[in-house]
Amino acid sequence: MEYAVGKAGRVVAARLFEGESLYESIESIAQKEGIKSAAVLITGGIRKAEVVVGPKTETPKIEADFRSFTGPGEILGIGTLYCDEDGKPKLHLHAGLGRGDNHIVGCPRGGASIFLILEVTIIEILGIDAKRITDPATGFKLLRIKN
């Protein structure tokens, strides 16, 4: 286990609009505001997303199992934001997405776009040294925390 204790810094409230990109929007706010570490909360509408619902395969290399969500629908999610090796903020978000009887829980990825309104709260974490570092075994950018 790796962990560090920090303090809450700034709190950013944002509203995303119809058609905006979920990941690009949140990461661009973090970049503009110089946020290196944060907790992220989202609630609102989602137009569409490709959602990782777990691993399709575990060996020899983990392969993600994707499901398509087509809305408009609702989304409620929580995530973290840490910079990668290049100093760029990278969001990792898990969410529940749904419309009617169609529900998906997982990690919305590429192409995730907003329906009408999405409210975002970013809670900056100060005083920790954490980054998403590429893990050679998986190829994933995994969180590493220095003490």
Side-chain angles (χ1 to χ4, degrees), residues 126-142:
L126 300 174
I128 64 170
D129 185 1
K131 288 187 178 159
R132 297 198 190 283
I133 306 292
T134 303
D135 176 56
T138 63
F140 296 157
K141 290 188 178 204
L142 303 178

Side-chain angles (χ1 to χ4, degrees), residues 15-25 111-115:
R15 175 187 171 188
L16 306 187
F17 295 98
E18 174 73 41
E20 289 187 300
S21 168
L22 175 64
Y23 279 75
E24 287 177 20
S25 297
S113 65
I114 306 312
F115 167 66

Side-chain angles (χ1 to χ4, degrees), residues 18 42-49 69-76 96-104 113-119:
E18 174 73 41
I42 67 164
T43 186
I46 189 83
R47 172 69 62 190
K48 65 177 180 166
F69 177 82
T70 304
E74 304 297 321
I75 187 169
L76 177 67
L97 302 82
R99 178 180 176 158
D101 292 333
N102 181 22
H103 305 284
I104 298 176
S113 65
I114 306 312
F115 167 66
L116 190 58
I117 181 175
L118 183 82
E119 297 171 1

Side-chain angles (χ1 to χ4, degrees), residues 11-77:
V11 177
V12 177
R15 175 187 171 188
L16 306 187
F17 295 98
E18 174 73 41
E20 289 187 300
S21 168
L22 175 64
Y23 279 75
E24 287 177 20
S25 297
I26 293 171
E27 290 172 352
S28 72
I29 291 169
Q31 182 77 35
K32 181 178 178 183
E33 295 299 323
I35 296 172
K36 306 286 184 205
S37 303
V40 178
L41 310 169
I42 67 164
T43 186
I46 189 83
R47 172 69 62 190
K48 65 177 180 166
E50 292 298 315
V51 183
V52 176
V53 296
K56 187 184 295 184
T57 60
E58 293 183 53
T59 56
K61 186 177 178 200
I62 297 171
E63 183 181 343
D65 189 7
F66 283 91
R67 296 288 186 275
S68 293
F69 177 82
T70 304
E74 304 297 321
I75 187 169
L76 177 67

